[in-house]
Amino acid sequence: MKKLALHWQILIGMTLGVLWGMLASSLGLVDLTLDWVKPFGTIFINLLKLIAVPLVLVSLITGVSSLSDVSRLSRIGSKTIGIYLLTTVVAVVMGLVLVNVFEPGKAFSPEKREEFKEQFASTTTQKSTDAAAVEGQGPLQPLVDIVPSNIFGSLTNNGAMLQVIFFALLFGIALIMIPPDKAAPVNDFFEGVNLVILKIVDLIMKTAPYGVFALLAGLVVEFAGDDPGSAVELLLVLGYYCLVVIAGLSLMIFVIYPILVTTIGKTKYKTFFKGIFPAQMLAFSTSSSAATLPVTMERCEQNLGINKEITSFVLPLGATINMDGTSLYQAVAAVFIAQAYGIDLDIMAQLGIVMTATLASIGAAAVPGAGTVMLVIVLQQAGIPVEGIALILAPDRILDMLRTTVNVTGDATVSMMVARTEGQLHPPKETATA
Ligand code: ASP
């Protein structure tokens, strides 16, 4: 019998995980699930995170050094960053338009607002403390943070991915500049290590269907507790807001990216979608672009035919700085909270949100919940009460899953565009041109 394709296996794993979670909540098996099922999800995420730093380091070094000269690197680099910024701004503007048209924040009754504010005030404090550290810094601090004073320190911290990227770029550039006979063994070494890392990714992915089962089962029981009804009720209250975010995210996935993939990438969207589906499923299950990165790279190379030279540079960078879903979500969430508090935001304030949401999404780490921490910055800059985050925390995990899926799809879209314009897209046989 033919083996089921990986993305179907993952999808089945996810569905069974949700069903198990719901069943466990109704049958009082919450503790059993938390003790015996959820840890396997954690192990799966750990495995993915484990490989993220070595992968970024080695793939960027090999990626940069394979670009024969520095001018080629700077051309591809500026093109990549330019498109990343553009798609992010499009996402924020789309979020703003939707939230202004549908006004989900005005749907709350005043009593409900009071209730939410009190209920979640304590949870908000932690998020604000995290963000306060960011807020208290000077304007150039983000730049300073990119340059590590000790590379081994950065390598031990999954949150310091930009520093690892900086070092890898520097290393790769220097490798291009030394005499070829001296560079050759170093290149060989990193290429070999790269293959080993990709093989490890392969092995980890074999466990993905079980990993996502455990992740989603754990998530559902944690959310629902012993009373699945409460989760449903909470979701209904915030459903309208979620729908607006989801509408924006869907527009990105089903309108904006298809336009870019078919016009500039010159590839059928179905082919593109089919190629990266497992990465999307994984983004959904892990809520982390960084954890999904190995699979995004593998699928872009093997299923879409994007040259390694492009993926190894564009995707690690994208996972870290390009978050269209996150920026869209931040725009909707900020205006939603303002609406709930009865604050009218004029056009200047909304333009300010375009700016801060773009920067905040670049600054957000590619891990679960990072977009929500950075949302505090957007709120503060726009003069919206930070406690308002309380309103949106409940369904945040679900939105995080969805926006991460968009983030990863956006990275893949841009890598396809860069690859096509650089003549580095060589689709495997059935991939026809649109
Ligand atoms: N979880 C998102 C990501 O990793 C970031 C966020 O929006 O929280 O892409």
Side-chain angles (χ1 to χ4, degrees), residues 39 88 114 165-166 173 193 202 231 253 267 272 282 297 308 320-321 362 371 399:
T88 304
E114 277 306 311
I165 290 180
F166 175 83
I173 292 171
V193 176
D202 236 23
I253 293 229
T267 302
F272 172 80
L282 213 60
M297 291 180 70
K308 220 168 112 282
T320 321
I321 67 165
I362 292 175
L399 294 181

Short mmCIF file of all heavy atoms in Angstrom, two decimals, residues 39 88 114 165-166 173 193 202 231 253 267 272 282 297 308 320-321 362 371 399:
data_model
loop_
_atom_site.label_atom_id
_atom_site.label_comp_id
_atom_site.label_asym_id
_atom_site.label_seq_id
_atom_site.Cartn_x
_atom_site.Cartn_y
_atom_site.Cartn_z
N PRO A 39 3.66 15.83 27.12
CA PRO A 39 5.14 15.85 27.08
C PRO A 39 5.70 15.44 25.72
O PRO A 39 6.76 15.94 25.33
CB PRO A 39 5.53 14.83 28.16
CG PRO A 39 4.38 14.84 29.11
CD PRO A 39 3.17 15.07 28.27
N THR A 88 4.95 43.23 4.54
CA THR A 88 4.53 43.51 5.92
C THR A 88 3.62 44.74 5.95
O THR A 88 2.58 44.75 6.61
CB THR A 88 5.75 43.74 6.83
OG1 THR A 88 6.60 42.60 6.73
CG2 THR A 88 5.34 43.92 8.26
N GLU A 114 -15.72 45.96 31.47
CA GLU A 114 -15.25 46.05 32.85
C GLU A 114 -14.83 44.67 33.35
O GLU A 114 -13.76 44.48 33.92
CB GLU A 114 -16.35 46.60 33.75
CG GLU A 114 -16.44 48.11 33.73
CD GLU A 114 -15.09 48.75 34.06
OE1 GLU A 114 -14.47 48.34 35.06
OE2 GLU A 114 -14.64 49.62 33.29
N ILE A 165 22.51 35.21 12.87
CA ILE A 165 22.46 35.57 11.45
C ILE A 165 23.59 36.54 11.13
O ILE A 165 24.30 36.41 10.13
CB ILE A 165 21.08 36.19 11.10
CG1 ILE A 165 20.01 35.10 11.15
CG2 ILE A 165 21.11 36.88 9.75
CD1 ILE A 165 18.62 35.56 10.83
N PHE A 166 23.78 37.54 12.00
CA PHE A 166 24.84 38.53 11.79
C PHE A 166 26.20 37.85 11.68
O PHE A 166 26.97 38.09 10.75
CB PHE A 166 24.84 39.54 12.94
CG PHE A 166 25.97 40.53 12.86
CD1 PHE A 166 25.85 41.66 12.06
CD2 PHE A 166 27.14 40.33 13.58
CE1 PHE A 166 26.90 42.56 11.96
CE2 PHE A 166 28.19 41.23 13.49
CZ PHE A 166 28.07 42.34 12.68
N ILE A 173 30.76 36.04 4.31
CA ILE A 173 31.39 37.07 3.47
C ILE A 173 32.91 36.93 3.52
O ILE A 173 33.60 36.97 2.50
CB ILE A 173 30.95 38.48 3.94
CG1 ILE A 173 29.46 38.68 3.65
CG2 ILE A 173 31.76 39.57 3.24
CD1 ILE A 173 28.86 39.92 4.25
N VAL A 193 28.28 19.33 7.10
CA VAL A 193 27.47 19.52 8.31
C VAL A 193 26.03 19.86 7.91
O VAL A 193 25.07 19.39 8.52
CB VAL A 193 28.06 20.65 9.19
CG1 VAL A 193 27.17 20.91 10.39
CG2 VAL A 193 29.46 20.27 9.65
N ASP A 202 14.91 15.56 8.60
CA ASP A 202 14.14 14.47 7.99
C ASP A 202 13.65 13.49 9.05
O ASP A 202 12.49 13.08 9.06
CB ASP A 202 15.07 13.72 7.04
CG ASP A 202 14.50 13.67 5.65
OD1 ASP A 202 13.68 14.54 5.34
OD2 ASP A 202 14.89 12.77 4.88
N ALA A 231 -14.72 27.16 27.18
CA ALA A 231 -13.86 27.56 26.07
C ALA A 231 -14.72 28.06 24.91
O ALA A 231 -14.44 29.10 24.30
CB ALA A 231 -13.00 26.40 25.63
N ILE A 253 -3.31 34.84 2.63
CA ILE A 253 -3.02 33.50 2.10
C ILE A 253 -3.74 33.23 0.78
O ILE A 253 -3.21 32.56 -0.10
CB ILE A 253 -3.42 32.42 3.13
CG1 ILE A 253 -2.51 32.54 4.33
CG2 ILE A 253 -3.38 31.03 2.53
CD1 ILE A 253 -1.88 31.27 4.82
N THR A 267 4.36 30.64 -10.82
CA THR A 267 4.09 29.24 -10.45
C THR A 267 2.62 29.13 -10.07
O THR A 267 2.05 30.08 -9.53
CB THR A 267 4.95 28.86 -9.22
OG1 THR A 267 6.31 29.06 -9.55
CG2 THR A 267 4.72 27.43 -8.79
N PHE A 272 2.36 25.58 -5.39
CA PHE A 272 3.05 26.23 -4.27
C PHE A 272 2.45 25.77 -2.95
O PHE A 272 3.16 25.36 -2.02
CB PHE A 272 2.89 27.75 -4.43
CG PHE A 272 3.38 28.55 -3.25
CD1 PHE A 272 4.73 28.81 -3.09
CD2 PHE A 272 2.49 29.04 -2.31
CE1 PHE A 272 5.18 29.56 -2.01
CE2 PHE A 272 2.93 29.78 -1.23
CZ PHE A 272 4.27 30.04 -1.08
N LEU A 282 2.79 22.62 10.32
CA LEU A 282 3.72 22.65 11.44
C LEU A 282 3.72 24.02 12.11
O LEU A 282 3.77 24.12 13.34
CB LEU A 282 5.12 22.33 10.91
CG LEU A 282 5.97 21.59 11.89
CD1 LEU A 282 5.34 20.27 12.26
CD2 LEU A 282 7.34 21.36 11.31
N MET A 297 12.39 25.19 4.77
CA MET A 297 13.54 25.14 3.85
C MET A 297 13.52 23.88 3.00
O MET A 297 13.70 23.91 1.79
CB MET A 297 14.85 25.22 4.65
CG MET A 297 15.05 26.59 5.26
SD MET A 297 16.57 26.73 6.19
CE MET A 297 17.77 26.67 4.91
N LYS A 308 19.02 26.18 -3.35
CA LYS A 308 19.50 26.27 -1.97
C LYS A 308 20.17 27.62 -1.69
O LYS A 308 20.12 28.15 -0.59
CB LYS A 308 20.51 25.15 -1.73
CG LYS A 308 20.38 24.52 -0.39
CD LYS A 308 21.19 23.27 -0.34
CE LYS A 308 22.34 23.34 0.55
NZ LYS A 308 23.56 23.91 0.40
N THR A 320 12.92 35.23 10.92
CA THR A 320 13.25 36.14 12.01
C THR A 320 12.62 37.53 11.84
O THR A 320 12.12 38.11 12.80
CB THR A 320 14.78 36.30 12.11
OG1 THR A 320 15.36 35.03 11.87
CG2 THR A 320 15.20 36.81 13.45
N ILE A 321 12.66 38.06 10.62
CA ILE A 321 12.19 39.45 10.50
C ILE A 321 10.88 39.63 9.72
O ILE A 321 10.27 40.67 9.78
CB ILE A 321 13.27 40.36 9.85
CG1 ILE A 321 13.51 39.97 8.38
CG2 ILE A 321 14.56 40.34 10.63
CD1 ILE A 321 14.26 41.05 7.62
N ILE A 362 9.01 42.92 13.05
CA ILE A 362 10.41 42.59 12.76
C ILE A 362 11.12 42.20 14.05
O ILE A 362 11.90 41.24 14.11
CB ILE A 362 11.13 43.80 12.11
CG1 ILE A 362 10.55 44.06 10.71
CG2 ILE A 362 12.64 43.57 12.04
CD1 ILE A 362 11.10 45.29 10.03
N GLY A 371 4.43 37.94 19.31
CA GLY A 371 3.70 39.05 18.70
C GLY A 371 2.86 39.79 19.73
O GLY A 371 2.67 41.01 19.65
N LEU A 399 -5.10 32.45 17.51
CA LEU A 399 -4.68 33.44 16.50
C LEU A 399 -3.18 33.33 16.24
O LEU A 399 -2.71 33.54 15.12
CB LEU A 399 -5.04 34.86 16.95
CG LEU A 399 -6.55 35.13 17.03
CD1 LEU A 399 -6.81 36.56 17.46
CD2 LEU A 399 -7.23 34.86 15.69
#
